[in-house]
Amino acid sequence: MHKKNNLIEPEQLERYKEYAAEKGQNVYVILGIGGDSSMPEDLYIVPLDSLQEAQAKPSLFRQFKRDVVDKWFKIEEFVCDIE
């Protein structure tokens, strides 16, 4: 059995979903793990639509992993690969 990790607080997830619906915008949760906050070892860009609850299994993140090539990047370059 895979353990679920708290990604965000349930109330925060609801606020994000409300914002996305209100603005008609795609919203992404960017998660950096390990390393430094400005240059994490692992980077995940998770579409909010893929989060059904505030907790998520680590296996969910794998499909959204992105290579961290440079600490200066444009989010659009990563998001285009997801959509």
Side-chain angles (χ1 to χ4, degrees):
M1 174 179 239
H2 293 281
K3 181 180 177 184
K4 290 184 176 183
N5 297 312
N6 285 336
L7 181 60
I8 57 177
E9 294 296 322
E11 298 81 17
Q12 187 178 19
L13 177 60
E14 287 307 310
R15 284 194 306 271
Y16 287 171
K17 287 184 176 188
E18 288 172 10
Y19 176 86
E22 180 183 302
K23 300 293 184 181
Q25 296 287 321
N26 294 325
V27 174
Y28 299 86
V29 176
I30 300 176
L31 178 64
I33 299 176
D36 186 58
S37 60
S38 63
M39 187 66 165
E41 282 182 33
D42 296 311
L43 178 69
Y44 302 87
I45 302 178
V46 183
L48 185 66
D49 292 344
S50 69
L51 298 175
Q52 302 305 315
E53 57 185 336
Q55 293 184 333
K57 293 180 181 179
S59 59
L60 168 73
F61 302 132
R62 287 187 200 116
Q63 63 184 319
F64 302 114
K65 186 173 182 178
R66 297 290 177 250
D67 290 330
V68 182
V69 180
D70 189 353
K71 69 178 185 176
W72 304 107
F73 66 89
K74 294 181 181 177
I75 188 66
E76 295 86 8
E77 294 172 4
F78 290 96
V79 172
C80 290
D81 291 340
I82 295 171
E83 296 183 316

